[in-house]
Amino acid sequence: MATTTFLYDDACPMCKGYTGVFTHLNWSERRPFSHLKAGDIPALDLDRGRHEIPLYDAATGEVRYGLDAMTTVVGNALPRLKPLLRSRFFIAALKPLYWLITYNRRVIAGTKPPATGFDCAPDYHVGWRLTYLGFAAVAVLLLDFPCAPLLAGLGLALIVGMFLHSDRLTFLGHFATVTLAAAILLAVLPGWVGVGAAYLFAGWEGWRRC
C-alpha cells in the first residue's frame, strides 16, 4: 500500500493524467490542491508546491518536490532504475523540460483556475513563456505547416487576439499551443482529413480558451 501522496493541480489535465497513472499502478496516492485546507500538511511549502508538484510521505511527514518527488516514486517502484533516476546529471538534463512545462502548463492544457479552493497556478514567468513560444514556433516550422487557408485563419485570430487581450503573452501561449497541435494533425493525418481535423480542433480550442 502506497504511503506517499501527490498533491496535484486538479485544474491541469496533464497533472491529473500522470498522477492518475501513479495511483492506478499503486505507486502513490493523490490529492487535489483545491481540496487542501490550511494546516493539513504542516511541512508543505505552498509557494514551492505551486511550481514543483509536492509528494507527501505520511510515514515520515517529509515532503519532496518536483523531479525529486517523481523520481523517488518511480525509483521506489522500479529499484533497478534508481541509480539513473538519482543521478544529478540525469536530473540536471530533465530540469529545463520540467520548468518549461510547469510554468506553461495552464496555456498548454488550456485550463482556467478552479472555481473554489486553493489555486496552485505557478507564477507568471516571462522567460519560460518566451522559451515556450520559441519552442512552438520552431516545431511548427519543422512540421512544414502547409495549409494556406488554415494559416490565414490563424493569422486573423492572432491579429484579433493581440488587439483584444491585455495579457498578450498569455494569449500567445494559448495561440502557440493551438497552432502546434493543428500542425501535428496536418502532419499525421492524410490530405483533407488532416485539414478538416486541424480546422475543427483550432476552432474548438480557440473558442474554449477564450
Side-chain angles (χ1 to χ4, degrees), residues 137-152:
V138 170
V140 169
L141 289 173
L142 290 174
L143 288 168
D144 191 23
F145 206 129
C147 182
L150 184 55
L151 276 177

Side-chain angles (χ1 to χ4, degrees), residues 10-24:
D10 48 325
C12 172
M14 295 183 296
C15 301
K16 287 182 180 179
Y18 74 77
T19 56
V21 170
F22 286 140
T23 301
H24 178 73

Side-chain angles (χ1 to χ4, degrees), residues 94-179:
L94 283 183
K95 275 208 167 181
L97 177 62
Y98 184 86
W99 291 127
L100 178 69
I101 293 172
T102 198
Y103 276 110
N104 291 287
R105 65 180 187 262
R106 291 288 173 93
V107 297
I108 294 172
T111 53
K112 295 179 173 61
T116 59
F118 178 69
D119 180 12
C120 61
D123 289 336
Y124 194 93
H125 196 293
V126 174
W128 283 113
R129 180 59 47 79
L130 292 175
T131 301
Y132 176 66
L133 295 178
F135 164 81
V138 170
V140 169
L141 289 173
L142 290 174
L143 288 168
D144 191 23
F145 206 129
C147 182
L150 184 55
L151 276 177
L154 288 169
L156 179 61
L158 176 61
I159 293 170
V160 173
M162 291 293 284
F163 177 76
L164 293 178
H165 288 266
S166 57
D167 187 353
R168 292 186 174 89
L169 274 181
T170 295
F171 164 74
L172 285 173
H174 288 291
F175 180 83
T177 302
V178 172
T179 303

